[in-house]
Amino acid sequence: MTGRRTDKNRNSGLTWKGKLNLAVTVLVLLLGPVMMGLGSFMIGADEDLARSGVQAAGTIVRFDDVTKASERRMKVEFTSGDGASHATWAAVDHDQYPVVGDATTVIYAEHDPGRAIVPGYESDGVWVRGVGTVLTCIFAGLGVIFVLLMVGAYLKGRSQRGKDAPSPG
């Protein structure tokens, strides 16, 4: 009898390594959009806090003036309405130069003074959303390049098959 052997089970699915590679690829591709969403959520929460929070006078007690934007921050201490002392950190743009000892306004959540912002300074969500946008652009660009290369290879192979075919005559 000729033909295919049917006494062995053929596994046409992915191996565990293939599934792991696929899972890692999907996670990396989703990382950018997830960070964009998380950053937008954080920015929205800070904007809500700015509208509905309680204002307090604060004092800048530390300023890390470094060249790396993600680490350029300042610490502001303030006293909440119940008399307790609190501190918050705020991201500082490169065109801002806060001075240690200067007074500034802090807005905090009335029932959670640990959640506070310093108006006029960036939300941490801006950095998170920015990194997510960059990652999304990089991976989307790589995806477009990959698809273009695959389409080009397909079209080249198709044109080669067309040349190899016998001409009618």
Side-chain angles (χ1 to χ4, degrees), residues 55-112:
Q55 287 193 9
T59 304
I60 300 170
V61 295
R62 182 174 171 185
F63 173 48
D64 297 332
D65 189 11
V66 296
T67 56
K68 189 173 181 183
S70 62
E71 294 176 4
R72 199 162 192 270
R73 304 173 62 79
M74 70 175 184
K75 183 178 182 181
V76 178
E77 290 181 349
F78 65 98
T79 304
S80 60
D82 62 0
S85 236
H86 299 277
T88 189
W89 288 88
V92 179
D93 279 337
H94 280 287
D95 60 346
Q96 295 174 312
Y97 296 95
V99 177
V100 173
D102 278 2
T104 188
T105 302
V106 175
I107 300 176
Y108 65 91
E110 186 174 5
H111 301 293
D112 182 12

Side-chain angles (χ1 to χ4, degrees), residues 18-150:
K19 290 177 184 175
L20 180 63
N21 284 339
L22 180 62
V24 168
T25 301
V26 168
L27 286 175
V28 167
L29 291 175
L30 290 178
L31 182 62
V34 167
M35 287 182 74
M36 287 172 60
L38 179 62
S40 295
F41 175 78
M42 291 167 68
I43 292 167
D46 286 351
E47 288 172 353
D48 287 345
L49 181 59
R51 283 191 295 276
S52 63
V54 178
Q55 287 193 9
T59 304
I60 300 170
V61 295
R62 182 174 171 185
F63 173 48
D64 297 332
D65 189 11
V66 296
T67 56
K68 189 173 181 183
S70 62
E71 294 176 4
R72 199 162 192 270
R73 304 173 62 79
M74 70 175 184
K75 183 178 182 181
V76 178
E77 290 181 349
F78 65 98
T79 304
S80 60
D82 62 0
S85 236
H86 299 277
T88 189
W89 288 88
V92 179
D93 279 337
H94 280 287
D95 60 346
Q96 295 174 312
Y97 296 95
V99 177
V100 173
D102 278 2
T104 188
T105 302
V106 175
I107 300 176
Y108 65 91
E110 186 174 5
H111 301 293
D112 182 12
R115 197 170 70 105
I117 60 167
V118 181
Y121 293 91
E122 256 183 20
S123 163
D124 287 336
V126 172
W127 182 86
V128 173
R129 184 171 66 184
V131 170
T133 301
V134 169
L135 289 175
T136 300
C137 289
I138 289 171
F139 292 124
L142 289 174
V144 168
I145 290 170
F146 179 74
V147 167
L148 290 175
L149 289 173
M150 295 299 289

